[in-house]
Amino acid sequence: MLVHPTPLQGAALLEMEPISDNRGYFARSFCKKTLAEHGLSFNMVQANTAFNRHRDTLRGMHYQKPPYCEDKIVTCTQGAIYDVIIDLNEDSPTYCQWYGINLTEDNNLSLYIPKGFAHGYLTLTDNAGIHYLVSEYYTPSHESGVRWNDPAFGIEWPNRDSLLLSMKDEKWGNFDKTAGGLFVTEGVIHE
């Protein structure tokens, strides 16, 4: 497994290195030791799966509020998605910046998303499957988000004619940069 930096502080691309033969392949998709060697701490407590029937389904931008912030590793297991993260860590040099990457069933990439980041994706194909490893239990009372098209971030989503969104994702408010969001100071997350 290879670990590649992204333009956002603390986030990383994880790349599987398949060993192939006439039967198929074998590859590590997660290695705590390899992540630690790159300064990434990840303690998985839950694994989740999402399935999206239709292309142009947009889910996001989600995060959990302190003290239940979570690290995530996101992998597309079927089809293709455009995966997007936003750094909401107020003391980060990449605060309020976003990063997007295509994750597909064929490109062997996963996205490591640290605490204090909002996350969302747009399906690029019908029948897109996503697998999440998370470091915190889902806590509905601390679920939050920002709007997928909030001008505070200026995310450049792939051109789409119409999007399929949940009512919850349509109702997230605008983010106020001056009021601050999530931020990390010496490993402690505040709001």
Side-chain angles (χ1 to χ4, degrees):
M1 183 176 83
L2 302 173
V3 178
H4 307 286
T6 71
L8 301 186
Q9 183 165 327
L13 276 177
L14 309 179
E15 181 180 3
M16 291 189 299
E17 295 180 286
I19 300 168
S20 300
D21 63 20
N22 63 337
R23 300 167 296 169
Y25 72 86
F26 175 86
R28 283 186 305 154
S29 61
F30 174 79
C31 180
K32 190 171 186 170
K33 180 180 174 183
T34 300
L35 292 177
E37 289 168 355
H38 287 85
L40 305 174
S41 174
F42 191 87
N43 295 307
M44 182 181 69
V45 299
Q46 190 170 301
N48 305 318
T49 300
F51 178 76
N52 304 273
R53 294 192 199 299
H54 305 289
R55 178 180 184 230
D56 298 335
T57 298
L58 195 145
R59 295 182 187 257
M61 303 294 298
H62 305 145
Y63 62 92
Q64 286 197 164
K65 296 182 210 174
Y68 301 106
C69 294
E70 58 192 0
D71 300 307
K72 296 178 187 176
I73 296 176
V74 177
T75 305
C76 182
T77 57
Q78 182 177 341
I81 63 172
Y82 184 64
D83 208 34
V84 175
I85 54 177
I86 304 169
D87 185 351
L88 297 180
N89 293 298
E90 195 173 64
D91 64 348
S92 170
T94 57
Y95 176 59
C96 289
Q97 294 179 29
W98 66 274
Y99 172 73
I101 184 83
N102 286 342
L103 299 179
T104 74
E105 63 183 290
D106 297 320
N107 69 6
N108 297 319
L109 297 175
S110 297
L111 185 59
Y112 170 83
I113 307 164
K115 290 175 175 68
F117 277 60
H119 171 253
Y121 62 84
L122 174 68
T123 59
L124 303 175
T125 62
D126 288 337
N127 301 316
I130 295 88
H131 189 256
Y132 298 79
L133 302 178
V134 292
S135 67
E136 186 60 57
Y137 297 106
Y138 173 62
T139 309
S141 62
H142 286 69
E143 180 181 37
S144 193
V146 296
R147 250 191 26 243
W148 65 276
N149 60 351
D150 189 328
F153 309 113
I155 298 170
E156 296 174 13
W157 295 96
N159 290 334
R160 296 294 181 217
D161 295 328
S162 62
L163 296 175
L164 181 58
L165 289 151
S166 71
M167 288 180 60
K168 177 177 65 177
D169 287 345
E170 288 180 7
K171 292 182 180 183
W172 294 124
N174 283 339
F175 185 78
D176 182 356
K177 290 182 185 180
T178 61
L182 299 176
F183 61 96
V184 177
T185 306
E186 297 178 16
V188 179
I189 298 178
H190 307 273
E191 182 180 37

